[in-house]
Amino acid sequence: MSSDAVLRLFADGSTVVLQGLHRLWPPLIEFADQLAADLGHPTQVNAYVTPPSSRGFSPHYDVHDVFVLQIAGEKHWRIHAPVLPDPLRTQPWQDRAGDVAAAAEREPVIDAVLRPGDALYLPRGYIHSAEALGAISAHLTIGVHPVTRWAAVESALDLVRTLAADDPQLRGSLPLGLDLADPDGVRDDVTAVITALQDWLGRVDPAQVADRLRAQTWAQVRPEPVAPLAQSTAAAALTDDAVLQLRRRLRCTLRDGSEGEVTLLAGRRSLSFPAESREALGQLLAAGELKVGDLPGSDAAGRLALARRLVTESIATVPEAG
């Protein structure tokens, strides 16, 4: 949208929304990443700039938790109790617009004016609206996308779907001449399917479900970009004096493999290393930065080989390479 169109719309009472600031402005990138690490749930940051005496949005609820940080001007907030507690992402307020509008006519649970430096917490589902008072008003919304039990349900069902595909009975075709308009005609087959799925669900390993949940959540956190050409050149020229820095905002942990190797979980990826690399990997993850020559547990050739792999796999970077 052109700047003159933004000016016209703002003068007519529209709110300017700056989305995805947690990916664009370094101070907010750092803030959102540290908050996500502390909470264990992904975060995002948007800014809302509202002209004087205007309301940004009609009463609505969000499907994620929100911290409102007032940074300029004043804004009058009215908060109402949920019509649907703890809504999921698939349950937006538009699906209950009538109930939301009716709830917004009742007595608010919070009726307050936020001034610069004030903060407000809105659990998902709470209905809210805000109006700027007297002058231009600006606030940040820190969205916290909770990892829910329903996400664990989805991970478990995805795993069942993968496992159950090995069941020849479930892969079988329904009878020829089937009339799908007659529920009784497929009742026995559907009953058999449900029984089989219940059996497969009983075989699901909770640890596998948890790992899927971890991978999905970590994938929502974007690690710091790397400079491919510079890092590739640096990897080829590594020496014991070179410094390795764990890639910023990359979620990592170590697991012992089933055959003696060590597994590095990094975001969505899973990388296998020899068992003798465990101490070096553990120290790098703990310290965040190490000289190649300080990597323990191997000779000079082994240290360089490990360091080069970490750089080329974008797990670590050589900071002076840019």
Side-chain angles (χ1 to χ4, degrees):
M1 182 180 290
S2 64
S3 57
D4 54 336
V6 173
L7 173 59
R8 287 195 304 272
L9 290 168
F10 189 75
D12 288 340
S14 296
T15 290
V16 174
V17 182
L18 306 175
Q19 293 185 319
L21 295 182
H22 59 292
R23 295 174 178 165
L24 301 173
W25 194 40
L28 287 179
I29 292 173
E30 294 296 329
F31 173 76
D33 179 59
Q34 187 58 56
L35 183 62
D38 291 342
L39 297 177
H41 301 269
T43 61
Q44 68 175 54
V45 183
N46 297 336
Y48 296 83
V49 185
T50 304
S53 304
S54 297
R55 187 168 69 179
F57 295 98
S58 59
H60 66 284
Y61 65 76
D62 293 316
V63 294
H64 54 269
D65 298 339
V66 168
F67 289 95
V68 176
L69 307 180
Q70 187 70 22
I71 57 176
E74 299 181 350
K75 193 163 280 184
H76 183 192
W77 288 81
R78 294 180 178 86
I79 316 300
H80 295 82
V83 295
L84 177 67
D86 298 327
L88 302 172
R89 294 183 184 182
T90 55
Q91 297 171 317
W93 74 272
Q94 293 91 339
D95 292 349
R96 295 166 175 77
D99 292 338
V100 168
E105 296 297 323
R106 303 182 191 121
E107 189 73 17
V109 295
I110 294 177
D111 190 328
V113 173
L114 296 190
R115 298 176 176 84
D118 289 342
L120 174 67
Y121 171 59
L122 296 171
R124 58 190 166 114
Y126 272 78
I127 299 163
H128 54 277
S129 62
E131 182 178 354
L133 301 178
I136 292 175
S137 172
H139 73 270
L140 298 178
T141 62
I142 314 301
V144 180
H145 295 269
V147 182
T148 64
R149 288 183 173 177
W150 183 252
V153 168
E154 292 177 321
S155 294
L157 293 178
D158 284 343
L159 190 55
V160 167
R161 183 169 53 188
T162 300
L163 295 173
D166 288 334
D167 189 329
Q169 295 298 319
L170 291 176
R171 294 201 309 270
S173 301
L174 295 176
L176 295 175
L178 181 68
D179 182 6
L180 291 175
D182 178 14
D184 289 333
V186 294
R187 185 179 302 278
D188 290 345
D189 289 290
V190 170
T191 299
V193 166
I194 292 174
T195 300
L197 288 178
Q198 288 172 335
D199 177 60
W200 279 105
L201 189 59
R203 305 186 202 181
V204 167
D205 182 354
Q208 289 183 290
V209 175
D211 201 50
R212 282 176 174 249
L213 199 56
R214 173 204 56 78
Q216 292 165 2
T217 303
W218 281 10
Q220 296 179 52
V221 180
R222 288 189 179 183
E224 184 178 55
V226 298
L229 299 183
Q231 291 300 319
S232 178
T233 301
L238 281 175
T239 67
D240 273 355
D241 290 329
V243 173
L244 290 183
Q245 187 177 81
L246 191 65
R247 187 178 177 188
R248 294 166 64 82
R249 296 188 296 280
L250 179 65
R251 302 292 192 261
C252 295
T253 193
L254 290 176
R255 298 265 179 87
D256 289 324
S258 58
E259 298 182 6
E261 77 281 5
V262 61
T263 300
L264 175 65
L265 302 178
R268 275 189 179 271
R269 293 188 298 157
S270 176
L271 305 174
S272 182
F273 292 85
E276 56 267 23
S277 301
R278 167 175 267 285
E279 186 179 2
L281 292 170
Q283 286 201 19
L284 179 61
L285 265 58
E289 183 176 295
L290 281 178
K291 279 189 175 182
V292 173
D294 292 335
L295 292 171
S298 183
D299 58 18
R303 289 194 300 269
L304 287 173
L306 175 61
R308 288 194 180 101
R309 185 180 177 196
L310 291 172
V311 174
T312 56
E313 294 278 10
S314 297
I315 303 300
T317 62
V318 182
E320 54 266 29

